[in-house]
Amino acid sequence: STPPALNVSCPSTAGIPAITGEYLLVPGDRPNGMPLWKLKGGDLWLYCGTNSRWYVGGKDAKDWKFNCQAGFIYSEAVSHGTLPDRLMGGWARFQNGVFVADSNITVTAAPTWASR
């Protein structure tokens, strides 16, 4: 089942927004056929791009209705239906104009008490 909230942890990086936080499921919105989460209190979204990678993207991705491959971090490509807290592969973050793999990036389902 789809987690109602996800905890994203990403080391702070110069030049990109603070990504770490709780992302809440956006009901009824399924860009590219997959669930969408929004950062609590922020303008960042966790979405599945058109290339089967998960991204945390900003207002530009939202303006494109998430029909894109844009973000500050992204996952390895996943088989369709794999949620971001169930990834086997790793994540990469944007730094100095390129994406670099970062094993410290984690996405986990928030504790179930929050979803009563």
Side-chain angles (χ1 to χ4, degrees), residues 54 75-78 82-91 107:
W54 287 98
S75 72
E76 296 291 327
V78 298
T82 302
L83 297 177
D85 61 318
R86 305 277 173 88
L87 295 182
M88 300 305 290
W91 292 79
V107 176

Side-chain angles (χ1 to χ4, degrees), residues 2-42:
T2 303
L6 294 172
N7 289 322
V8 177
S9 179
C10 175
S12 56
T13 304
I16 68 172
I19 290 167
T20 297
E22 186 178 32
Y23 288 70
L24 304 177
L25 185 66
V26 179
D29 208 342
R30 293 180 62 86
N32 304 311
M34 297 291 279
L36 174 70
W37 292 264
K38 183 180 186 295
L39 176 62
K40 190 175 181 178

Side-chain angles (χ1 to χ4, degrees), residues 81-108:
T82 302
L83 297 177
D85 61 318
R86 305 277 173 88
L87 295 182
M88 300 305 290
W91 292 79
R93 62 187 159 87
F94 195 71
Q95 180 178 327
N96 300 327
V98 295
F99 279 96
V100 292
D102 188 339
S103 60
N104 294 310
I105 298 172
T106 60
V107 176
T108 55

